[in-house]
Amino acid sequence: MKIAFVGKGGSGKTTLSSLFIRHLAATHAPVVAVDADINQHLGVALGLDEAEAAALPAMGAHLPLIKDYLRGTNPRIASAETMIKTTPPGEGSRLLRIGEDNPVYQACARTLPLDDGSVRLMATGPFTESDLGVACYHSKVGAIELCLNHLVDGRGEFIVVDMTAGSDSFASGLFTRFDMTFLVAEPTRKGVSVYRQYKEYARDFDVALRVVGNKVQGPDDLDFLRAEVGDDLLVAFGHSEWVRAMEKGRAPRFAELEEPNREALRTLQGAVDASYERRDWQRYTRQMVHFHLKNAQSWGNEKTGADLAAQVDPAFGLREFAPEESSTATPAPA
């Protein structure tokens, strides 16, 4: 299951995504955690010190390897150099699974032990000095978009992505790649402004969006969020001494998180589990192709010198694969 945490900068989306990742890990489910924010703080929120977090391999730096692996023997892709962030899989492409071992995980993921389990942690990579003034952050998150396009995940396994702040993810088709998007909102006018943007942009793409209130201090805060976002409000998190200790680098065992906040995490997982029944692989594949064709026409063809529309395999459709099936893509059954 693919889950995104989005929200205004400072809303607490990284903190809540890290809590949800810890919660899933405690159930011993396979979990891949991805820091896709320009401010790379997820590793620290999961217990790494600053030096350890900074040493995480950047997915963007391994993009040639990622492309070469995912390309496989797909005859529609002449070379890895002609792949862009939206390139869809086709017959012969290699697909990714959450619990497997593969060269992408070997290069880009690090196993992070937690109190009651472990996760694979990946990071798109921070802005570097060489990027300033000449690159945009969307070039960094292109690596995770490409991986999500080639991911065949199933029930009971999770990839959780801490996204860029605000509505930046709408600069690509990345916002359509998730089974559930949790928008973290504080009970303020600014806190719900990103919700309105997200709701408007996502309206035509059937994005599953639920609002998670954060820093809620009482009934008035809760009433405010209900009035502003209506039925999209799923649950709210209140004050947490556990989180305060975590932010000071002194987090107790996760089992000591306050029960109201633990119950809120169970509510998040319930929403994710329920979204499994609404999965539509045909729509997912169709949206992937839609954004690829837009990117090809807008800039991809000129950049690569190739007709990227020819990369689309009309006979191919993503679907959930059984664990024993090959990792090389084949056309979906009619």
Side-chain angles (χ1 to χ4, degrees):
M1 304 297 289
K2 297 176 284 290
I3 303 123
F5 279 80
V6 301
K8 181 180 71 66
S11 64
K13 67 178 181 61
T14 297
T15 297
L16 293 193
S17 62
S18 73
L19 291 180
F20 189 57
I21 290 163
R22 289 176 185 267
H23 167 77
L24 293 175
T27 71
H28 302 288
V31 181
V32 173
V34 182
D35 192 343
D37 196 354
I38 191 170
N39 298 308
Q40 303 264 287
H41 296 313
L42 183 59
V44 173
L46 289 171
L48 297 180
D49 62 33
E50 296 286 351
E52 291 170 328
L56 290 170
M59 295 180 70
H62 291 88
L63 194 53
L65 178 150
I66 294 171
K67 290 180 176 181
D68 190 60
Y69 178 75
L70 296 179
R71 175 190 171 219
T73 59
N74 186 334
R76 293 177 175 272
I77 303 175
S79 67
E81 289 74 23
T82 62
M83 293 180 74
I84 61 174
K85 62 184 180 180
T86 52
T87 294
E91 184 174 6
S93 296
R94 291 193 181 97
L95 303 178
L96 300 175
R97 292 177 178 81
I98 287 176
E100 70 180 0
D101 193 20
N102 60 55
V104 174
Y105 292 155
Q106 291 168 9
C108 302
R110 294 294 178 264
T111 300
L112 178 60
L114 299 173
D115 289 345
D116 300 308
S118 63
V119 300
R120 277 177 168 150
L121 176 60
M122 305 171 74
T124 54
F127 248 30
T128 64
E129 186 175 345
S130 61
D131 294 322
L132 297 177
V134 297
C136 71
Y137 193 65
H138 307 301
S139 64
K140 304 283 186 181
V141 299
I144 185 59
E145 184 169 359
L146 193 58
C147 287
L148 289 176
N149 280 352
H150 289 73
L151 182 69
V152 282
D153 55 313
R155 185 194 293 270
E157 52 184 13
F158 305 92
I159 182 165
V160 182
V161 184
D162 181 24
M163 295 280 284
T164 54
S167 54
D168 283 355
S169 61
F170 287 98
S172 71
L174 186 56
F175 73 100
T176 65
R177 302 296 84 199
F178 299 99
D179 296 290
M180 178 60 65
T181 296
F182 291 126
L183 189 145
V184 180
E186 301 168 87
T188 64
R189 291 173 63 187
K190 287 184 178 180
V192 299
S193 63
V194 172
Y195 159 77
R196 294 195 183 94
Q197 283 184 305
Y198 225 99
K199 183 80 169 178
E200 176 66 21
Y201 293 158
R203 180 182 56 191
D204 296 331
F205 294 94
D206 200 21
V207 171
L209 177 67
R210 301 303 302 271
V211 174
V212 180
N214 193 31
K215 306 177 186 178
V216 173
Q217 297 183 8
D220 185 65
D221 285 348
L222 201 55
D223 289 344
F224 174 84
L225 286 172
R226 285 179 177 141
E228 294 293 327
V229 308
D231 292 340
D232 284 340
L233 180 63
L234 175 65
V235 72
F237 286 78
H239 175 75
S240 173
E241 290 295 333
W242 192 98
V243 169
R244 285 181 65 86
M246 180 268 289
E247 291 175 341
K248 295 174 183 176
R250 302 197 295 264
R253 288 188 60 82
F254 183 63
E256 298 178 32
L257 180 71
E258 303 86 358
E259 178 55 30
N261 290 327
R262 292 181 65 85
E263 178 60 26
L265 293 171
R266 289 191 285 269
T267 299
L268 296 188
Q269 185 173 359
V272 171
D273 291 343
S275 72
Y276 181 83
E277 305 302 331
R278 301 190 298 272
R279 278 193 151 188
D280 183 346
W281 286 101
Q282 290 184 341
R283 174 180 59 80
Y284 190 81
T285 303
R286 188 168 60 249
Q287 289 177 341
M288 178 171 55
V289 169
H290 167 77
F291 283 105
H292 179 63
L293 294 177
K294 286 189 66 174
N295 278 270
Q297 185 176 18
S298 176
W299 58 270
N301 289 345
E302 182 178 357
K303 180 178 180 180
T304 63
D307 177 12
L308 299 186
Q311 293 179 343
V312 176
D313 184 345
F316 180 80
L318 277 175
R319 62 184 175 91
E320 191 171 322
F321 282 64
E324 66 273 11
E325 290 186 83
S326 169
S327 62
T328 301
T330 55

